[in-house]
Amino acid sequence: MANDIEVRRRVDQITWNSSFDEINQLIKYLDANGFTVDDFPKLREIVVYVYEGGGRNGENPGMEDDIAKFLGKTASKEIKNKLTKRKLDALVEEFLEADIKRKSEIADEIQEIMDNFKSKYKLYNEVQQFIFKQREIREKLDKELSDDVLDGEFEQQVVAEMDLYQKSIDISIPTSIEDFAEEMALLGADEEDKRYIKELVMKVVNGEKIPKGVNEELIRLETEIFVKKNKIQVEQIKIDNLNKKFELLIENTPDGKKDLIIQYRDAISKLNSANIPNLSDASNYAESALHDQIPSPGKRKQLFENVKILIQTVYTKPKDFNAIVGASKNLVSSGFDMSLLPNISEVRSFQELMSVVNSDQTLVLGLQKVAYLKIQSVQKIGQFVSKFPGGSKLVGSVSEMIGGTAIKEFLTASMTVIAEQGSVKGTLAILNGIVAGSTATAEAGGSASLLAALAPLAEVPVIGWVVLALAVVVIIGGWLIDKAIKFAEKVGKWMYDNMGIDLLAVKNFVADKLNLGNFVGWAAQITFNGVVSIFGTALSLGIGMMVALMPLLIGVMFIGGFLYGAFFNNAMISSLVPPPPMAVGGTCEPKGGAEESGTINCNQDAPKNETGINKDVFADTATRWRPSGTNYAKECFDDTVNRALCAKVNPQFALWVWLHESGASNYGLDNVEDFGIHGNQSVPAKNYDLQIRAFLNLDPASKCIKDSKILESSEPNKYWLALATNFLTGGCDPEKGILQSDGSMMTGKRYLKEELEPQWGWIKTGSLPANIHVPKGGSQCDGSKTDRPDNEYTRPDGVVMVCDGPVDENGNFIGSAGGGAFDPTSPPLVGEIVEGECSVSKSVVLTKQCGQAWSNKGLPGGSGTICSAGCGPSSVSSIVRTKNGSYTPDTIIFEAGSPYDSMDGGGSSLGQAQESLTKHGYTAGNLGICSQKDIANWICAGKAVIILADSYTGNGGNYIGHILPVVAVSGGKLITKDPYYSNTTPFVTGSGIVAGQIKELRQCLTIDLKSD
Amino acid sequence: MSKLNKILIIIGGIVLIFAIVVIFWPKKEIIIEKKVIKTIPASVVVIPTQDKTPIYSTTGAKLTILPDDQYKLMTLIYTLRQSCPINNEYFSIIYDYKFDNFVVTIKPENMETFLQWKKDTGYNEIMDKYWVIKND
């Protein structure tokens, strides 16, 4: 199997100009390596394009077959249906020319295609269209051919197809989730399949993750279509499911707090039942648009949930929203442990929303109220104006601002803003944007997009009445224009007919002879008449026409100016809130994607601690304790010990619990709870990280050590009796029995005597200590940067986090905010001088692609950010900024005539850097291969060198392509000003590989630093 | 045979004989003195195929695929640059990193040897603008 890098490399070779052969080869290659084209959105676009376009060069060697096979695997319904449609069309076309025998074969083929779809209604349209065409054919045949040409077999075939057609239209679309699930379940071969399909349907309905697979994907697509058509019912089911998730918690909560939890649950339900626009399409759009920018699916989902609940918020009546906030506050102030709430996305999103409210309640409630009123007013104005002829067209884009096509941009931009600024700042910025039309964070790409998405809406609250007036003006204006033109035409015709003078000669010439259309023709005629009038030639004729057209001119100017002012001039509307702080940095997430249960998530590179416990012996014990399945005793041993020491917990105790409860995370066992944390929905089974975090926060003995039942017990070791009792039962009665999975009853006392005491020595010889507490030990308890590249750090709990830019050991982004838009008067920056024998570093300003104000700006090609793909323009910026400090990477990319104007997440080349530097007056040399010696000599000749190299990403030997400037020679080493890595000595010196060091030089570009 | 015909035959015969004499008249051997060019051992520089495999990057780097002639030129320059300084009994070459050209120091009488070396190695494909000739 090829590794990911190799696969990616192969995928990146496919371009819009690639041939069918190349694409087919890649599809086979992906298939052989367990990938699908759907794993690579850009490739998918190319495949669809090439397929739909029928090929760029007219070549088509077996392409459709391969594509069809591939599509069968990826189950992309949209493409699949198009393919089917094309096949059907082709067959019908062929049918027209075919002989009787072939006609019969074609009918068979069509039947076969339709049989491939067990659920006939999927092909409703295709079948319908085919039948219609066939009817035409039949009629044609009836007319043109004699009766004996149509033999009996063909007649039967036609009848059969007509029956099929009839059946297809008889299939009723299911109207309930249950019916739909039943319908889908028919696809299953046996009962187990059917049950599985029903489960999948319900998971999709509830927005839960489903397993990957062709059939699963088909079911997801079908279900989403159904959900889209049956939104209200689906929402109700979600609310019912939400209530179910709370059932267990409510049952186990004391009466005093039960009502508060119910209120809290109802508050979430209330928000979820808000009548918001359909977000299905927008969600898919955002998913695709942000795929590269936010690679983690889990992160994207959470961001979507954040924005969704925000939309629900602004669609909820302020009075209701106040009650919702009150319910949340009541539960929090009651001292309820919020971590006990169900760990589901609705709750998580709601809690994040409440964090926003808590940041400034007065402000948020105020913004919510204004936003709600604004949206309502937009909708009402829209509804009113729509009643006028043409009105719906006018207000369409405004009234559907949140609820129409623009919702895609709104959702995508909002997700970006929250990703950039976090949920609190991001949500405030979006609310501010809805209310005031200004996000006040123009430097952030997401905010700028959001601003653009909200532009029409921004005008409405202040000039709501203007929208109405505008509608009237346009309607009346349109009438006037129409009348004026008709009048002018009549005058022109009369003069031509009666006097032989063609007043509309110019218009007719431009519109008809030049084929530029009537609008341009009229514009030319008006201009001509104006000139004629000014110079006095044919004065009467000119004036005649000008009089006729004057209302048109005035109307156009008036309405055009009005429209321009209303829609395109971003009026300065005072903001209700101060702008949120400028975004610096980005976000971090667990390396390898969101944390999920079922896969081990300990820190396998955790620091080692000497405790006298042998890892191998422990692992052997774990294997013997739970022989079936596979444990993670060796992989997570160091992490368990280190975390326990950091938490001042005896590591032997942690290891014993881990061993006893789960056989050291033996995930081969059903629903195994790594550290025995049970009944807390925030701490799922098979989740090492969450389990140990919860476990190390427990102090079971302290809860019962003073309890009379413990004190009165005959057991001499009160501490451990209290601990065993509370850990086992959650209570303090050592005689209370708990039903075990094998059907036996276990008490706290027995747990101590029969399990804890005898098994303690399994870990390390010796008797039970006085208690589980030890002095704080371990290392990297506060997070770490050891062996991590600039953009990663190890969280205190051992989880490796990967961030959008360079961070310190606690995940704080390093770097200061940079400049914004280009300022021609901005002074030059001076580079930090690197001491050495030869240096041009004073002429190169260290310019980081990440952790700066520009870092999260989206690239013009639609994917990626400067942080993720801006090493090229950042390197150029580092040189040009010494001439003018405002030439930051974003300016380099977005300035007029930039060679980066279509750059996307795929990055840029040295060729583009060469072009950009030349544009800025620098003499860039030829682009070619070079050696370290060459670079040193060039620097000593006063030149900077931007190189393309294979750079190591860490000490593991992996490497990536990277562009960076080299600026000095010092002590025999080259010195860089790397836009991404902190490393400055790019070539491995023998003391081990460091991230950013260079494996291989690929290309060099010299720059004479004396610009024009 | 008329008198006129006789005359014509005689004239034709004379012309024929004259032509044969001219054609077969022994020619004087022309000896061209070959100038001996002193050469230095050289072999043609082998240009490796351009690696056009796109690179994988997470920071945004792409490979620039050079046109074949440009790639060949840059490879020749790179190869010669790595060989510099070159010193032999006929000429010497250094690479000037400031102006990005090869500086050849040579006596006029060795120029042909230098040109022959360029031809033998393939460096003659490096355009004149990359060469600076200095009299030794």
Side-chain angles (χ1 to χ4, degrees):
Chain A
M1 296 284 276
N3 62 31
D4 286 1
I5 293 176
E6 179 55 25
V7 172
R8 182 72 186 218
R9 189 188 291 269
R10 295 279 295 262
V11 169
D12 287 346
Q13 288 177 26
I14 297 297
T15 70
W16 297 99
N17 292 316
S18 294
S19 68
F20 288 133
D21 268 349
E22 289 166 335
I23 292 176
N24 279 333
Q25 289 294 329
L26 181 70
I27 289 169
K28 286 171 184 170
Y29 174 78
L30 291 177
D31 191 28
N33 286 285
F35 290 86
T36 73
V37 173
D38 277 351
D39 294 330
F40 306 95
K42 187 176 176 187
L43 176 65
R44 188 175 181 277
E45 283 178 29
I46 293 172
V47 169
V48 173
Y49 166 75
V50 172
Y51 161 65
E52 289 189 334
R56 298 181 66 82
N57 305 315
E59 49 180 334
N60 194 5
M63 177 262 182
E64 283 197 10
D65 286 345
D66 282 334
I67 295 285
K69 283 176 195 165
F70 150 71
L71 292 175
K73 291 203 167 207
T74 57
S76 173
K77 183 172 182 296
E78 181 189 356
I79 304 171
K80 202 167 184 174
N81 278 352
K82 281 179 181 170
L83 185 67
T84 309
K85 176 74 169 56
R86 278 188 61 177
K87 274 191 175 173
L88 284 167
D89 285 346
L91 286 170
V92 171
E93 288 298 321
E94 190 185 352
F95 184 95
L96 284 169
E97 305 298 327
D99 57 23
I100 292 298
K101 187 184 174 190
R102 179 66 188 135
K103 281 187 171 68
S104 178
E105 289 171 356
I106 291 171
D108 287 344
E109 284 182 45
I110 291 165
Q111 182 66 48
E112 191 182 348
I113 290 172
M114 291 190 287
D115 285 345
N116 285 336
F117 291 80
K118 293 182 181 178
S119 184
K120 298 290 192 296
Y121 69 84
K122 288 179 187 171
L123 270 180
Y124 174 87
N125 288 333
E126 285 82 353
V127 174
Q128 191 178 40
Q129 285 175 16
F130 170 71
I131 295 297
F132 285 157
K133 282 196 177 182
Q134 198 165 63
R135 278 179 176 168
E136 291 172 13
I137 294 164
R138 176 64 184 270
E139 286 168 10
K140 193 176 176 184
L141 285 171
D142 283 342
K143 284 179 186 171
E144 293 180 8
L145 302 175
S146 58
D147 287 341
D148 57 356
V149 175
L150 293 171
D151 60 13
E153 189 184 351
F154 179 70
E155 286 283 0
Q156 287 172 12
Q157 193 67 49
V158 171
V159 170
E161 282 160 5
M162 291 300 281
D163 285 347
L164 179 64
Y165 164 70
Q166 194 58 46
K167 282 177 188 170
S168 73
I169 60 173
D170 285 346
I171 293 171
S172 59
I173 304 298
T175 53
S176 75
I177 293 287
E178 289 74 17
D179 288 349
F180 175 75
E182 289 291 341
E183 184 81 26
M184 292 299 290
L186 293 175
L187 295 169
D190 52 33
E191 285 307 311
E192 192 174 346
D193 270 4
K194 289 175 181 172
R195 183 188 54 77
Y196 178 64
I197 291 169
K198 283 185 194 173
E199 273 181 20
L200 286 176
V201 169
M202 296 314 291
K203 278 188 174 178
V204 174
V205 168
N206 291 324
E208 295 171 20
K209 195 175 175 182
I210 62 167
K212 279 190 172 179
V214 175
N215 292 328
E216 286 81 355
E217 187 67 6
L218 269 173
I219 289 164
R220 182 183 70 77
L221 289 165
E222 286 301 315
T223 308
E224 282 181 353
I225 291 169
F226 177 81
V227 167
K228 197 174 170 183
K229 290 177 182 170
N230 298 272
K231 199 176 96 183
I232 295 172
Q233 192 192 34
V234 170
E235 287 300 326
Q236 185 55 48
I237 286 175
K238 283 186 182 174
I239 290 167
D240 291 345
N241 287 335
L242 180 72
N243 293 344
K244 280 181 192 167
K245 299 273 184 188
F246 273 84
E247 275 177 9
L248 182 65
L249 178 65
I250 291 169
E251 278 176 19
N252 293 295
T253 303
D255 286 344
K257 291 181 181 172
K258 208 171 261 185
D259 288 345
L260 294 177
I261 294 174
I262 292 170
Q263 285 174 14
Y264 187 87
R265 179 201 67 189
D266 291 346
I268 297 175
S269 294
K270 186 79 183 171
L271 263 186
N272 277 277
S273 62
N275 188 22
I276 65 170
N278 190 332
L279 298 179
S280 300
D281 286 345
S283 171
N284 292 337
Y285 175 83
E287 180 74 10
S288 172
L290 298 177
H291 186 275
D292 291 337
Q293 194 176 337
I294 305 167
S296 164
K299 182 77 179 288
R300 289 198 299 272
K301 183 173 188 306
Q302 187 57 50
L303 289 170
F304 170 74
E305 293 294 339
N306 287 133
V307 179
K308 182 182 170 190
I309 202 165
L310 175 61
I311 295 173
Q312 288 166 339
T313 298
V314 295
Y315 271 81
T316 300
K317 286 181 183 172
K319 187 181 170 187
D320 291 340
F321 188 69
N322 284 354
I324 287 166
V325 172
S328 173
K329 284 196 164 299
N330 288 342
L331 186 61
V332 172
S333 59
S334 73
F336 179 77
D337 181 359
M338 303 296 277
S339 68
L340 295 174
L341 290 168
N343 185 21
I344 53 177
S345 63
E346 288 90 345
V347 173
R348 287 197 299 268
S349 303
F350 183 71
Q351 285 181 320
E352 288 199 32
L353 179 68
M354 289 304 111
S355 300
V356 179
V357 174
N358 292 334
S359 69
D360 190 336
Q361 183 172 325
T362 308
L363 169 67
V364 175
L365 290 180
L367 286 173
Q368 190 272 337
K369 187 173 185 178
V370 177
Y372 172 81
L373 291 172
K374 183 170 186 174
I375 289 168
Q376 294 301 310
S377 68
V378 170
Q379 289 185 326
K380 282 176 182 165
I381 290 170
Q383 287 165 5
F384 179 71
V385 175
S386 298
K387 291 173 184 173
F388 291 88
S392 58
K393 195 174 178 183
L394 169 71
V395 297
S397 63
V398 178
S399 64
E400 293 182 0
M401 187 59 234
I402 297 190
T405 53
I407 193 71
K408 292 179 181 176
E409 282 75 24
F410 174 80
L411 180 67
T412 308
S414 297
M415 285 169 69
T416 310
V417 167
I418 293 179
E420 287 172 357
Q421 304 185 15
S423 61
V424 175
K425 287 179 185 172
T427 306
L428 279 173
I430 298 164
L431 271 173
N432 189 28
I434 296 171
V435 170
S438 165
T439 59
T441 51
E443 291 78 8
S447 296
S449 307
L450 177 65
L451 194 58
L454 289 170
L457 188 65
E459 305 302 321
V460 174
V462 177
I463 56 163
W465 60 272
V466 172
V467 174
L468 181 59
L470 201 59
V472 176
V473 167
V474 170
I475 293 163
I476 296 172
W479 178 84
L480 277 174
I481 291 167
D482 190 43
K483 294 291 177 193
I485 287 176
K486 282 182 179 167
F487 175 67
E489 280 175 345
K490 276 185 182 174
V491 170
K493 188 173 183 303
W494 181 86
M495 291 189 77
Y496 183 78
D497 292 344
N498 295 282
M499 301 170 70
I501 300 169
D502 187 359
L503 282 179
L504 303 176
V506 175
K507 177 251 171 188
N508 291 336
F509 175 77
V510 173
D512 301 334
K513 301 292 183 192
L514 299 183
N515 203 25
L516 293 174
N518 280 335
F519 181 81
V520 179
W522 273 110
Q525 183 72 56
I526 290 165
T527 307
F528 173 78
N529 289 353
V531 171
V532 166
S533 300
I534 289 166
F535 289 98
T537 309
L539 189 62
S540 59
L541 302 179
I543 288 174
M545 282 304 298
M546 288 306 289
V547 168
L549 293 171
M550 195 55 77
L552 171 67
L553 274 174
I554 294 170
V556 167
M557 288 173 67
F558 175 71
I559 295 165
F562 211 155
L563 279 170
Y564 179 81
F567 284 97
F568 297 103
N569 256 352
N570 207 358
M572 297 299 291
I573 301 167
S574 63
S575 173
L576 293 182
V577 290
M582 187 164 60
V584 176
T587 57
C588 302
E589 61 176 286
K591 197 172 186 180
E595 291 158 301
E596 293 175 0
S597 299
T599 53
I600 196 65
N601 53 11
C602 66
N603 178 9
Q604 298 187 33
D605 299 319
K608 294 176 173 53
N609 294 275
E610 183 50 54
T611 59
I613 303 169
N614 186 294
K615 187 197 289 189
D616 292 333
V617 171
F618 175 79
D620 180 57
T621 307
T623 304
R624 285 188 284 119
W625 175 246
R626 293 279 185 259
S628 63
T630 305
N631 63 52
Y632 291 94
K634 281 191 177 176
E635 290 84 351
C636 304
F637 177 88
D638 293 327
D639 197 16
T640 307
V641 171
N642 192 59
R643 290 203 206 198
L645 288 170
C646 286
K648 302 182 195 174
V649 171
N650 187 327
Q652 189 171 355
F653 175 60
L655 289 169
W656 179 83
V657 171
W658 187 34
L659 175 75
H660 183 269
E661 295 296 331
S662 64
S665 297
N666 187 331
Y667 290 168
L669 307 172
D670 287 341
N671 296 319
V672 70
E673 291 158 336
D674 305 65
F675 287 83
I677 303 301
H678 180 76
N680 183 342
Q681 294 182 50
S682 301
V683 187
K686 292 187 183 181
N687 193 317
Y688 172 93
D689 179 53
L690 294 176
Q691 284 271 328
I692 194 171
R693 284 160 70 180
F695 165 72
L696 292 173
N697 278 328
L698 296 178
D699 188 2
S702 64
K703 292 180 181 170
C704 299
I705 193 71
K706 293 179 181 173
D707 191 277
S708 58
K709 294 190 182 71
I710 296 294
L711 295 173
E712 290 164 6
S713 167
S714 58
E715 170 57 43
N717 194 339
K718 304 291 187 207
Y719 176 86
W720 283 97
L721 179 66
L723 183 146
T725 302
N726 187 263
F727 188 69
L728 177 73
T729 68
C732 296
D733 184 352
E735 303 296 339
K736 184 183 176 185
I738 295 290
L739 185 65
Q740 299 294 282
S741 56
D742 60 2
S744 65
M745 294 296 283
M746 177 64 75
T747 64
K749 191 174 180 180
R750 281 183 59 204
Y751 186 64
L752 172 65
K753 304 307 288 183
E754 296 173 17
E755 298 195 6
L756 221 170
E757 281 184 350
Q759 293 171 8
W760 184 257
W762 289 3
I763 310 295
K764 184 181 167 189
T765 54
S767 56
L768 289 169
N771 58 51
I772 61 169
H773 302 298
V774 294
K776 184 170 180 179
S779 56
Q780 297 180 11
C781 301
D782 298 321
S784 165
K785 282 287 290 178
T786 308
D787 296 332
R788 292 280 153 223
D790 292 2
N791 66 327
E792 292 182 7
Y793 74 103
T794 307
R795 232 166 44 182
D797 57 16
V799 175
V800 176
M801 302 293 285
V802 59
C803 307
D804 291 341
V807 288
D808 64 14
E809 67 275 12
N810 291 314
N812 300 313
F813 283 86
I814 302 167
S816 57
F822 166 63
D823 173 9
T825 62
S826 184
L829 301 183
V830 178
E832 179 192 356
I833 297 172
V834 180
E835 295 296 330
E837 292 83 5
C838 294
S839 176
V840 294
S841 62
K842 67 178 180 183
S843 300
V844 181
V845 179
L846 180 65
T847 303
K848 291 289 186 184
Q849 61 191 101
C850 297
Q852 310 299 313
W854 52 78
S855 301
N856 291 319
K857 276 195 174 179
L859 296 172
S863 64
T865 62
I866 293 173
C867 178
S868 70
C871 59
S874 297
S875 297
V876 170
S877 169
S878 68
I879 287 166
V880 184
R881 286 175 80 199
T882 57
K883 189 168 72 171
N884 186 314
S886 69
Y887 279 113
T888 49
D890 49 337
T891 306
I892 295 291
I893 293 169
F894 290 98
E895 66 183 335
S898 168
Y900 299 107
D901 61 356
S902 58
M903 173 189 178
D904 61 16
S908 63
S909 67
L910 278 186
Q912 287 166 287
Q914 185 183 36
E915 199 177 330
S916 180
L917 285 161
T918 304
K919 172 181 159 57
H920 285 283
Y922 287 89
T923 304
N926 286 318
L927 208 162
I929 48 178
C930 68
S931 65
Q932 292 185 52
K933 185 188 86 174
D934 291 333
I935 296 172
N937 283 328
W938 273 316
I939 290 168
C940 289
K943 298 179 179 181
V945 185
I946 299 181
I947 61 172
L948 169 68
D950 289 334
S951 297
Y952 287 108
T953 58
N955 58 10
N958 291 328
Y959 58 89
I960 56 160
H962 185 40
I963 291 174
L964 65 159
V966 190
V967 297
V969 189
S970 177
K973 295 175 188 168
L974 295 174
I975 306 295
T976 60
K977 287 196 173 177
D978 194 316
Y980 191 81
Y981 295 103
S982 60
N983 173 61
T984 57
T985 52
F987 290 94
V988 180
T989 56
S991 56
I993 300 169
V994 175
Q997 287 185 327
I998 292 170
K999 178 175 182 287
E1000 187 181 348
L1001 272 169
R1002 300 289 290 265
Q1003 290 178 330
C1004 302
L1005 176 68
T1006 61
I1007 303 104
D1008 194 336
L1009 292 167
K1010 286 177 295 183
S1011 68
D1012 292 343
Chain B
M1 184 181 287
S2 66
K3 191 178 177 181
L4 180 61
N5 288 344
K6 286 178 183 173
I7 293 168
L8 286 174
I9 289 170
I10 291 166
I11 292 171
I14 292 168
V15 169
L16 182 65
I17 291 165
F18 180 76
I20 290 169
V21 169
V22 169
I23 291 168
F24 294 102
W25 191 266
K27 295 181 179 70
K28 186 182 177 183
E29 188 176 351
I30 300 169
I31 299 171
I32 300 171
E33 189 180 341
K34 261 192 175 177
K35 190 175 178 182
V36 178
I37 300 172
K38 294 170 186 171
T39 58
I40 53 177
S43 55
V44 177
V45 174
V46 177
I47 307 291
T49 307
Q50 185 176 189
D51 182 3
K52 296 180 181 177
T53 312
I55 55 174
Y56 172 70
S57 175
T58 56
T59 62
K62 273 184 182 172
L63 184 72
T64 304
I65 308 292
L66 298 173
D68 287 344
D69 54 346
Q70 175 78 359
Y71 169 74
K72 187 175 183 184
L73 173 66
M74 288 297 109
T75 306
L76 284 169
I77 290 175
Y78 169 75
T79 309
L80 180 55
R81 197 168 60 216
Q82 301 314 303
S83 306
C84 289
I86 293 173
N87 287 297
N88 56 48
E89 59 183 301
Y90 306 104
F91 56 86
S92 66
I93 306 175
I94 60 167
Y95 188 76
D96 186 335
Y97 283 88
K98 186 170 180 61
F99 297 104
D100 279 324
N101 53 27
F102 295 99
V103 179
V104 184
T105 307
I106 190 170
K107 288 178 178 163
E109 60 266 32
N110 292 331
M111 185 55 81
E112 289 189 20
T113 304
F114 170 65
L115 295 174
Q116 186 61 42
W117 170 82
K118 277 187 20 176
K119 191 176 176 185
D120 291 345
T121 52
Y123 289 134
N124 59 336
E125 294 196 34
I126 299 176
M127 286 87 86
D128 288 347
K129 68 177 182 178
Y130 292 101
W131 300 98
V132 173
I133 309 295
K134 285 185 177 177
N135 278 331
D136 193 5

